[in-house]
Amino acid sequence: MAAEKTPSLEELLSGYDTDNLVIATVCSHSSLQIFHGARKEGFKTLGIAIGDRIKFYEGFPLGKPDEFFVVDNYKDIPKYADELREKNVVIIPHGSFVEYLGAEEFMKLEIPTFGNRNVLIWESDRKKEREWLEGAGLTMPEQIDDPRDIDKPVIVKYHGAKGGKGFFIAKTYEEFEKLIDWSKPFTIQEFVMGTRYYLHYFYSPIRDDGYKLKQGSLQLLSMDRRDETTIDELQRIGSISELEEIGIHPTFVVTGNIPIVMRESLLPEVFKMGENVVEKSLELFGGVIGPFCLETVITEDLKFKVFEISARIVAGTNPYISGSPYSDLIEPELSTGRRIAQEIRYAQKNDLLHEILS
Ligand code: AMP
């Protein structure tokens, strides 16, 4: 994944009618929210879809894109870059967009894209991610390099596994050995005991109202907790240890998202963590621009441990299409999708698109 392969934004935007930008994304993940938010800010919208994905949008007229761009396979999107640029399209990347296209193709995609694509280099490599987050002063779960050192519950994560698929918990080396697939690269992390909070921020390098950073400003738009099958409801039929004895192991596959608010006394720390992550990102790669999510566990002594960052809109913002208890204190009915559209509108009006697109 070489940064120099990314085409220059100037080239991509040449020929654009920036007064008539079209907000586009792949029809999945958080697309209803993205289209709905863009429409509220007066943009035309375009949904890139595989044929059978279209019909359900009829059920949600306010989240339906103005136009569909049907492809046989999402991997074909780069082939249509010229055609999409002719339509003045700005891509809003989400997790499924990057996954369907593949990280390398996404980096090279010749269409102006919201956010800083270089963040992928720091986010998709677990070592670099740790360098970024620990460099920002955040506490991450301890990493165990030698499985023989397992002396407490750990979670084993295969690299590149999507949505926690294939992850497993082990409490001893013997348990680990029984379950591990040695053919795949993996990381062993301390299993942090506590409550999970997924914090949804928005960083603007071009606004300086609200919670100010050295450059730009930071918002906390919402938080959620993921619903993960089977771990989250396994206790309905027995304890995890009992089930493991008969060969049933929990899985961590995300099926939905639950809205949540946090005790207010923790909010200063939430802002401080977001601030440090942004400041460090500016130093390392030009900044994490737009929405990002810190995935955390709060321990019983009220300390945050951050196990992951997602550097774009996450599906955990979907419970808040009409605003969250936090975004309501910024502006009524402000979803993350709408906030993205506002940022593009502000940049377009003030000739700052180069600051927020890549
Ligand atoms: P991830 O793919 O890293 O987001 O992890 C998938 C899921 O595994 C998370 O949503 C959590 O439920 C759980 N998880 C990941 N890392 C940890 C950890 N270090 N301690 C406890 N639970 C974790």
Side-chain angles (χ1 to χ4, degrees), residues 189-204:
Q189 255 181 23
E190 151 201 19
F191 187 93
V192 183
M193 276 168 276
T195 44
R196 289 169 298 133
Y197 286 79
Y198 299 72
L199 313 173
H200 311 139
Y201 300 89
F202 190 98
Y203 168 59
S204 168

Side-chain angles (χ1 to χ4, degrees), residues 323-341:
S324 83
Y326 298 110
S327 70
D328 278 351
L329 301 176
I330 301 171
E331 182 183 330
E333 299 188 18
L334 182 65
S335 69
T336 297
R338 185 172 183 193
R339 182 64 190 84
I340 292 170

Side-chain angles (χ1 to χ4, degrees), residues 53-321:
R53 283 278 172 147
I54 291 179
K55 193 167 177 203
F56 94 99
Y57 286 88
E58 302 301 334
F60 300 112
L62 301 181
K64 183 183 162 190
D66 295 304
E67 187 187 343
F68 285 105
F69 190 90
V70 177
V71 292
D72 289 334
N73 188 316
Y74 291 123
K75 298 248 182 277
D76 292 339
I77 294 172
K79 281 198 253 166
Y80 301 110
D82 292 349
E83 209 176 317
L84 287 165
R85 281 205 314 277
E86 274 164 29
K87 291 177 183 283
N88 282 314
V89 153
V90 171
I91 295 283
I92 312 300
H94 52 56
S96 303
F97 190 107
V98 177
E99 188 189 330
Y100 295 158
L101 197 60
E104 271 190 47
E105 288 303 320
F106 172 70
M107 290 290 284
K108 291 189 290 186
L109 185 64
E110 298 187 354
I111 307 176
T113 299
F114 182 67
N116 179 357
R117 282 189 253 186
N118 283 331
V119 72
L120 254 187
I121 298 168
W122 288 82
E123 180 197 15
S124 56
D125 174 329
R126 286 202 186 266
K127 259 199 198 146
K128 282 187 123 44
E129 183 188 35
R130 196 167 269 271
E131 189 184 330
W132 174 14
L133 298 182
E134 289 188 337
L138 271 49
T139 310
M140 295 189 75
E142 185 194 336
Q143 190 170 311
I144 289 116
D145 294 326
D146 183 347
R148 288 179 195 279
D149 295 337
I150 296 175
D151 60 358
K152 57 180 149 196
V154 295
I155 179 163
V156 182
K157 303 181 176 188
Y158 293 108
H159 295 186
K162 296 291 170 222
K165 227 176 174 168
F167 288 12
F168 67 89
I169 299 172
K171 294 180 282 309
T172 60
Y173 177 71
E174 288 67 35
E175 280 181 13
F176 165 86
E177 210 189 6
K178 264 194 229 152
L179 295 171
I180 190 70
D181 175 352
W182 292 99
S183 71
K184 296 191 226 157
F186 60 86
T187 312
I188 308 173
Q189 255 181 23
E190 151 201 19
F191 187 93
V192 183
M193 276 168 276
T195 44
R196 289 169 298 133
Y197 286 79
Y198 299 72
L199 313 173
H200 311 139
Y201 300 89
F202 190 98
Y203 168 59
S204 168
I206 55 175
R207 303 293 300 254
D208 57 7
D209 44 354
Y211 188 97
K212 290 187 193 54
L213 307 191
K214 275 187 211 132
Q215 182 198 331
S217 73
L218 181 71
Q219 291 171 325
L220 174 72
L221 291 181
S222 57
M223 41 186 92
D224 81 302
R225 173 170 304 164
R226 288 185 191 157
D227 221 1
E228 292 172 327
T229 186
T230 58
I231 180 95
D232 287 337
E233 299 218 19
L234 211 56
Q235 78 288 351
R236 295 178 80 191
I237 55 162
S239 77
I240 291 177
S241 314
E242 276 168 359
L243 294 166
E244 283 190 322
E245 273 170 29
I246 54 167
I248 297 173
H249 302 284
T251 54
F252 296 84
V253 180
V254 182
T255 52
N257 303 87
I258 306 168
I260 201 162
V261 286
M262 181 179 282
R263 56 191 282 177
E264 204 167 296
S265 60
L266 293 171
L267 291 178
E269 181 62 16
V270 167
F271 272 94
K272 196 69 206 150
M273 288 193 303
E275 174 170 1
N276 290 349
V277 163
V278 172
E279 303 285 9
K280 191 72 193 174
S281 74
L282 287 165
E283 192 186 307
L284 292 173
F285 57 85
V288 52
I289 291 165
F292 67 96
C293 171
L294 291 181
E295 305 180 10
T296 74
V297 178
I298 306 179
T299 60
E300 61 189 337
D301 51 358
L302 298 180
K303 299 275 184 266
F304 286 89
K305 291 212 179 175
V306 180
F307 57 89
E308 186 107 46
I309 183 166
S310 296
R312 60 196 57 72
I313 185 169
V314 292
T317 59
N318 284 339
Y320 307 111
I321 292 182

